[in-house]
Amino acid sequence: MYTIAVTVPLVWLAWLVLTEWVPMFPLNDLRADNRRERLGDAAVNYPIPLLIAGGIALDHQASRIAALALCLLVLAGHVASWWLPYFGISTAAQRESYTRDYARTLKVLPVQGHAVVPDVQHMAVGVLTLAMTGSTLAVTLTR
């Protein structure tokens, strides 16, 4: 489980890098005018999985707990960014960002009646986030 817990955050990071920088329409909808925003998001998001993987790799109880806390923050952020808005709890800024950046991307969930719909790219992020949180929790509780 230790190897999985170190690896999953790195896979999560690789998925983010791939989907935020390699055009793969309709999986993503990259545009030149949102490059600066993507750079800012990268500066905030990319260190997090490195800190999680590093916290697990250090193999100290305190570093594993810190890694788990980061996982829980990532999970909460994902839920707040995609799932709460899907079920009707969203801000104007979230709806505007969705319309501008994600309205044309691939979705498998019903779109009608929803102002924000998680696309396939972000559903994969959610699955990886759950795997990252679960494996980090397992390692934290068992080592």
Side-chain angles (χ1 to χ4, degrees):
M1 184 55 69
Y2 174 83
T3 303
I4 292 170
V6 172
T7 304
V8 172
L10 302 177
V11 172
W12 187 89
L13 174 59
W15 177 255
L16 287 185
V17 171
L18 177 69
T19 59
E20 291 175 355
W21 298 105
V22 178
M24 297 179 288
F25 187 80
L27 183 64
N28 59 14
D29 190 10
L30 305 181
R31 302 179 330 271
D33 68 332
N34 70 2
R35 187 174 188 277
R36 184 180 198 128
E37 182 180 339
R38 287 185 283 135
L39 283 169
D41 290 346
V44 171
N45 292 325
Y46 293 2
I48 294 170
L50 298 174
L51 290 169
I52 292 168
I56 296 162
L58 283 174
D59 206 21
H60 297 292
Q61 186 65 10
S63 67
R64 289 189 301 271
I65 290 170
L68 180 59
L70 283 174
C71 288
L72 293 171
L73 288 172
V74 169
L75 181 60
H78 181 75
V79 168
S81 295
W82 288 102
W83 294 102
L84 291 179
Y86 182 69
F87 291 106
I89 304 168
S90 63
T91 66
Q94 284 173 316
R95 292 186 298 274
E96 178 186 321
S97 172
Y98 171 78
T99 300
R100 183 183 63 243
D101 296 327
Y102 305 107
R104 299 179 343 126
T105 56
L106 182 63
K107 295 162 191 69
V108 294
L109 294 174
V111 175
Q112 189 170 358
H114 299 278
V116 175
V117 180
D119 56 10
V120 170
Q121 128 189 21
H122 287 94
M123 291 178 76
V125 170
V127 169
L128 289 168
T129 301
L130 288 172
M132 182 171 66
T133 304
S135 61
T136 301
L137 177 62
V139 165
T140 301
L141 293 176
T142 59
R143 285 186 79 90

